Amino acid sequence: MNAKNTMNTQHMRHIKRAALAAGVGAVLVAGVLVFVPDGDQGPPEPGPEARARAAVGAGSPASLPDVAALIRDREAWLRKNPEDAESWAVLGAAYVERGGLRADTAYYPKAEQALRRSLKVTPGERRNPAATAGLASLANARHDYAAARKWGEAVRKADPARWATYPVLIEAYSGLGDYPAAGKALDKLRALRPDNPRVLSVSSAVYRDRGWREDAAAKADEAFTEAGTTAEKAGALHALAGLAWDRGEPKEALRYYDAALKISRDHHQSLAGRARALAALDRADEAGQDYQAAIAERPLPEYALELGELYESQGLDGDARSQYALLRDRTARARVDGVNEELLLARFESDHGNPRAAVDRLEAEWRRGHRSMQMSDALGWALFKAGEPAKALPYAKRATEQGMRSALFSYHRGEIERALEMDSPARRHLEEALRTNPRFSPLLAPKARAALDALGELPDGGPKDMHGNGEYTPLSPAPSAPSSASSSSSPSSAPSSAAPSVPATPSAVPSASGAPSKPVSTPTPPVSTQSAARN
């Protein structure tokens, strides 16, 4: 069987699974109604409150109706039992989940009140770990990763065996750019619950950050297989779609997004992802409709930014301005509710507004300890757009050399190097951006091609200076620049984007912290042989 047929077979396998997941439940229910006699035949199926409580407690995705039922149930209970600390913690966690599902940040202040009420009734992370972990999850939802780390580490110290704490910590560490700590937390999590769908999904996300695409796909595939709810299955399919998008395969991504939407119609993340893939396939009208539907369902400011850029790429400047105004409105509302949207606002300002304001925002975030790859890339780009390419380059290098293979990061670095007349590395990174994902942005991908054309072909005999003629400036330890000590992970924990690390054998899943781990059996990732070769 050739590579193309193998890929198609794998696609059909996953998509059939998704379709079956949507229909088998109904068939089984019908069968139970017809064939099960009266009498005690075992415990009843959990109701919506129980399903939501189990999902929220584990940090797993839950359906909106189930979460709404849980909130109604706990609110009614607490009106009669206001000293029930556990129920206040459950209610607070449910509010956090509801805010994320509805893209409604107004639930976050309510969540904080409920969680702090729980700690007032029963103080201490040892006696009340659920409330303390809930505050960590809330801090992550608000993009306050330093606070999330503080609360999460308090719970871990009190009870290291509480596995549900580790996904919260991994998100916090990743938001702060502490990828070695995230890897160590994942290793501990995998030791505690190796086959849990939530753990498999977290593993996939960490491997994606590391640039280990095949391992990320394998774990997302396992998460889909082990998922017990439609929300979990949709999340796993969405992860597989995102990996296909990262590889520059929009048709494959579209198949996964469609499959996710078949089993969870309100999965807005997949609806926006579908729009992104359609735009890359030159189906701009359909993409615009999907973006509009996603925004109508969940008015997230990042969706407004993507739709605005799609409109701008079509010359529809008035429509683009309307979306940018929506972005400003939504981020302003989020700020009132304690949500930090400085990274998104800075990305917008760099390309569509005031780059100097973007630099100010991001340098403030850097001083707060928010030093993720995304923050490094955004700060480098903002400095470049503000006319300071020499200061921008160390940040661009930091973003591209920590593992994640991102067409956007490579494009930004290439443009910064081109401004510094570092033609050879600029050409290499622009080519890398277009090789990674030729349609990574409706606005920026054409600019990447134009920049590469402007550089022209390599001179006869190869480049005279393999490192370009720009002088490398080490990262300063000053608050406005990243420290050299934390500028990159160890080689084993963060492979370079220029020379990505691939496991020696397909069945060996690496330790996320870089430490050796025992090989485990994993299914074949749902990518074609040709795609894997490009990885």
Side-chain angles (χ1 to χ4, degrees), residues 49 52 77 250 296 319 431 436 447 497 532:
E49 297 91 346
W77 171 263
D319 292 329
E431 287 175 345
T436 300
K447 292 182 179 180
S497 61

Side-chain angles (χ1 to χ4, degrees), residues 158-172:
D159 185 4
R162 189 179 190 275
W163 74 270
T165 305
Y166 291 92
V168 179
L169 272 173
I170 289 166
E171 183 176 354

Side-chain angles (χ1 to χ4, degrees), residues 151-240:
W151 291 113
E153 287 182 344
V155 178
R156 181 181 62 183
K157 183 178 179 180
D159 185 4
R162 189 179 190 275
W163 74 270
T165 305
Y166 291 92
V168 179
L169 272 173
I170 289 166
E171 183 176 354
Y173 289 140
S174 298
L176 294 170
D178 190 352
Y179 300 109
K184 291 177 182 177
L186 178 59
D187 288 343
K188 177 65 175 179
L189 176 62
R190 286 173 51 195
L192 291 170
R193 289 291 183 93
D195 298 324
N196 182 278
R198 171 65 170 157
V199 177
L200 294 167
S201 295
V202 172
S203 299
S204 178
V206 171
Y207 293 161
R208 183 181 180 180
D209 282 350
R210 287 289 179 268
W212 299 338
R213 288 178 176 170
E214 292 183 22
D215 296 297
K219 287 301 174 186
D221 185 31
E222 287 185 70
F224 179 85
T225 301
E226 298 296 329
T229 67
T230 56
E232 289 176 340
K233 288 185 180 294
L237 289 167
H238 182 267
L240 287 163

Side-chain angles (χ1 to χ4, degrees), residues 35 108 118 141 192 213 246 316 337 364:
F35 295 111
Y108 294 155
S118 177
L192 291 170
R213 288 178 176 170
D246 289 346
L316 304 173
D337 296 324

Side-chain angles (χ1 to χ4, degrees), residues 14-16 18-19 22 233-234 237-238 240-241 250-267 269-275 277-278 281 283 286 290:
H14 290 291
I15 293 169
K16 285 178 180 178
K233 288 185 180 294
L237 289 167
H238 182 267
L240 287 163
K251 288 183 180 179
E252 183 178 357
L254 186 60
R255 292 188 184 100
Y256 282 123
Y257 288 132
D258 284 342
L261 290 165
K262 283 181 181 178
I263 64 174
S264 181
R265 292 182 181 180
D266 64 347
H267 201 256
Q269 305 96 316
S270 291
L271 188 57
R274 185 177 189 274
L278 288 169
L281 294 169
R283 295 162 63 179
E286 294 173 78
D290 277 359

Side-chain angles (χ1 to χ4, degrees), residues 39 81 119 140 142 147 208 246 249 265 288 308 368 371 395 503:
N81 303 275
L119 283 173
N140 276 333
R142 285 171 157 171
R208 183 181 180 180
D246 289 346
E249 298 177 356
R265 292 182 181 180
R368 294 182 63 204
R371 302 182 180 187
Y395 293 98

Side-chain angles (χ1 to χ4, degrees), residues 69-84 87-88 91 95 110 117:
L70 177 60
I71 288 174
R72 289 193 300 268
D73 178 73
R74 290 300 87 188
E75 286 178 338
W77 171 263
L78 285 164
R79 279 193 286 270
K80 298 178 181 178
N81 303 275
E83 297 304 305
D84 185 347
S87 289
W88 280 115
L91 181 61
Y95 282 148
K110 297 174 67 174
R117 177 67 180 270

